[in-house]
Amino acid sequence: MTAPGRRSSTFTRLLRHGFTDPSAAEKLLETPELSAVRSDPVLLEALGATADPDLALHGLVRLLEAQPTPTARRELFDTLIASKPLRDRLLGVLGASAALGDHLARHAGDWHALVTYEPRDLHRDVADFERGLADADDPVSLRVAYRRCLLSIAARDVCGTIGVVETAAELADLATATLRAALRIACAAAPEDAERCRLAVIAMGKCGGHELNYVSDVDVIFVAEPAPGADGEPGDETKALRAATRLASHLMRICSETTVEGSIWPVDANLRPEGRNGPLVRTLSSHLAYYQRWAKTWEFQALLKARPVAGDAELGRRYVEALAPLVWQAAERENFVADVQRMRRRVVENIPADEVERELKLGPGGLRDVEFAVQLLQLVHGRADPSLRSGTTLDALKALAAGGYVGRADADQLAESYRFLRFVEHRIQLYQLRRTHLLPADEAGLRRLGRSLGLRADPVTELTRAWRRHTGVVRRLHEKLFYRPLLDAVAQLAPGEARLSPEAARERLVALGYADPAAALRHLEALASGVTRRAAIQRTLLPVLLGWFADSADPDAGLLNFRKVSDALGKTPWYLRLLRDEGAAAENLARVLSAGRLAPDLLMRAPEAVALLGDGTGDGSGLAPRGRAQLEQEVLAAVGRAESAEQGVTAARGVRRRELFRTAAADIIGSYGTETRPAEADQGALVDRVGAAVSDLTAATLAGTLRAVVREVWGDTLPTRFTIIGMGRFGGHELGYGSDADVLFVHEPREGVDEREASQAANRVVAEMRRLLQAPSADPPLLIDADLRPEGRSGPLVRTLTSYAAYYRRWSLVWEAQALLRAEPVAGDEDLGRRFVELIDPLRYPQGGLGTDAVREIRRLKARMEAERLPRGADPKLHTKLGPGGLSDVEWTVQLLQLRHAAEVPGLRTTRTRAALAAAAGAGLVAEDEAAILDEAWVLATRVRNAVMLVRGRASDTFPTQPRDLAAVGRYLGYGPGHVGDMLDAYRRTARRARSVVEDLFYGS
């Protein structure tokens, strides 16, 4: 037993050496294996030099206990005492990384990897790491070997043997070796696939730039070609791509799957053409075609760091060489600088408010500010200066300084701050080997981080001070470099000469509510400067337009969009004359351009659609959507003039884009600008008009696409009768701007046609329709969803009418009868569609209604959906679809009434929710006041979904979290500035009342 005096002395020494829990440390030191530490000042000092002495001591005890024999334990301890290099490396790692301490406890012999180093080991390369992974022949052994290699990098890092730049480069080289090993394992598991294709793995992002983190997604792109056959000729491309896709998918699983050893890291292929929606693997020619026609500015920015790392080296080299010219032409794209700057602003805006001040990577003054500034300068100046074309941030920054594009002092300060931020990022991730870019929120975490940086006197205070200093430097230099006028000039986007007093213009813009008066002033200068007639008309229009823009939630966007439209149409003789001579057109345009992203985006793709805004009386009535028959006539005529199916569908999609804009513009103009909410009847009318217009337009688009596909392959007559049945919101005439088209496909072989031939033809039609409607284009895609078909995704995509009849007779479940309540023919053979409806009517409108068991099953399904499908973290009270009183509540209640009573109440035999609800009230099945409550809730939830799509340009079932977007939704719903809270309260109140009615009607007796 230790004497009290001795214990007190040890306690004091531990405290002096940085232990935060000396009592616990003393107890650990009582173990027989560590008894010598108490009297060994060298080892105690080594523990005290680590980032977290308590963590280091605990990890050492676990490592000693994990040794398989007393001899092994003694070998480790003796080597630790005798060898300072091992002592510094091992304890340094144990004090900085709990995760690597766990690895050593599981693999007790891996400490030998830290005993000695050859001189070449100071800067290890891919070949070194490949040797370290050579024996790994399965995913588990690869993960273990990867962690062993990672251990050696971390040891050199925490001991200062290599700097932060070298650490990042080694991590990238280790990732390269790991990708090669994973591909080797995947090829060994599927040798036939490996022989069929040539597959190259292209590293992107930080891995491609030799600046990887300890824990980061490894961004890749896969490119493949058929392997030459025995005769030297290329193999089958389709089979090669399938084989390459299987290999690539296996590689990703090997690296990404989590086991007791953890995962290596996620392999992220979302930077590929079309992102998640695109094929995982493409040929080189397919990549080239995409980047030449469809790629956005940010995709060329991403290609700055592209580097072949695994697989077929020659193919990887050809990929990079082929795409390099496109990368260095990106700065010549229209609005290039604005695109890059806007993307950076979006990144910052999407950071949660409570994380902005701790965000190392994305926050203001963070790593991304350095990277974006450097990349923008590279893309602008690298066109003419090949010395700037490095994928590594600091190398590129050094080249920019050497070329005079950045001042040497600015470059040195930026590089110093970048190294500091990367160093902090490495240390944060090393602790738990988790992907994070946030400074710790707790004092213990900040203390450990500060000590790992060598800060000892007051680690937390010193760390905070250094962090603020470096982010301040980055923020200042980022703004100086990223936004300076030289960039616009070099990119050939220089604005016109200023004509207004900058101070006076800024004051007016600030007073009008513009968030970025400097940018707004640039737009004004570009629009109104000069002595041309066009500039004179703009000077007349702009004072009024500025006021209309300011009456929106985002006046900056309105002005920016107006400048874009004016740039596109400024030389068109009718454009400015329309705005000048028809006041309604100018105001309508201002409302549309400042109300969100969807309508301006549709307009930018075909600016001539501005002419639609000049029709009518100014109240939006001239924008009333056209009927289905008129739309179908126009689409079919356009298809008839086309020379191919692709051209025909392109024409159909062009009509769809224009008509979507017409509908969205009418919706915005009819909803926008009032300080009080429109009357409930008007809200319902707006919702019905949008739903019917988008549904009719979708039906016409499908009809035209069907005609184009059939004519391309079969001429005038398909071997089988074919019809498309609208389902869900489509069949109910209730589609929103972001809705997919839910459908069923039905066919019936023509007389004398073999059923197999007919089925093949029908399936080919469906496949081609889907391909053409979703192909990358300037027009928005139309997604076809057939998951409501019998047997769901497991069932055949197309069935004959006889097959449907057999299925529904033998296997149909109650939920399928419920789904069929909204089934309605939308395109194709009318007689076949009519007979399908005759087939399903007895099923969806059952004589005698539903039995008790069926009602119970529907209620069970509804309860299960409520419990399982609501997104994690979503506020149920503000979820418009699945939340209490939302769309699902109202629709399931109405559909239950239809299933129970439609056989006796003809008015319930409709696919439209509001019409069925009104019929139920008229028949006395629902009280008038309860029906009104449900109708109000359904209309409001639908309007919110439409509003979110109009404002954000993408569909969502919840209110936006960004204040500006939320305010824009409020303006659409009739709430003026400062009344967002009132809007949310009103929605909760309306939904709560509806839920009360649902609980009575749906779940009650």
Side-chain angles (χ1 to χ4, degrees), residues 642-720:
E643 295 180 359
S644 66
E646 289 199 5
Q647 291 180 4
V649 176
T650 297
R653 290 176 66 176
V655 173
R656 178 171 177 263
R657 179 203 61 236
R658 185 197 66 212
E659 294 302 318
L660 278 175
F661 173 75
R662 184 197 299 270
T663 302
D667 192 9
I668 291 167
I669 293 164
S671 302
Y672 198 82
T674 57
E675 292 296 327
T676 58
R677 301 178 67 189
E680 290 180 15
D682 294 335
Q683 294 180 47
L686 286 169
V687 164
D688 289 345
R689 183 168 67 176
V690 170
V694 179
S695 300
D696 287 345
L697 180 55
T698 301
T701 305
L702 290 177
T705 303
L706 177 59
R707 174 74 62 83
V709 170
V710 170
R711 191 185 67 170
E712 174 92 346
V713 181
W714 294 278
D716 293 330
T717 306
L718 188 66
T720 185

Side-chain angles (χ1 to χ4, degrees), residues 31 54 67 79 114 135 182 187 278 290 296 318 408 436 445 462 546 608 612 630 709 739 819 913:
T31 59
D54 302 87
Q67 298 305 307
T79 309
L114 306 180
D135 294 333
C187 289
Y290 173 84
K296 298 178 181 178
R318 286 199 293 122
R408 293 188 182 276
T436 179
E462 293 178 69
L546 286 174
E608 63 274 8
L612 297 175
Q630 190 178 6
V709 170
S739 300
T913 301

Side-chain angles (χ1 to χ4, degrees), residues 301 363 372 408 445 459 529 557 570 708 746 768 791 811 828 872 903 915 927 929-930 945-946 975:
Q301 186 177 353
F372 262 59
R408 293 188 182 276
S529 298
V746 187
E768 193 67 359
E791 301 173 78
W811 308 113
R872 181 177 299 177
D929 59 336
E930 291 183 332
R945 295 178 93 207
N946 285 343
Y975 292 88

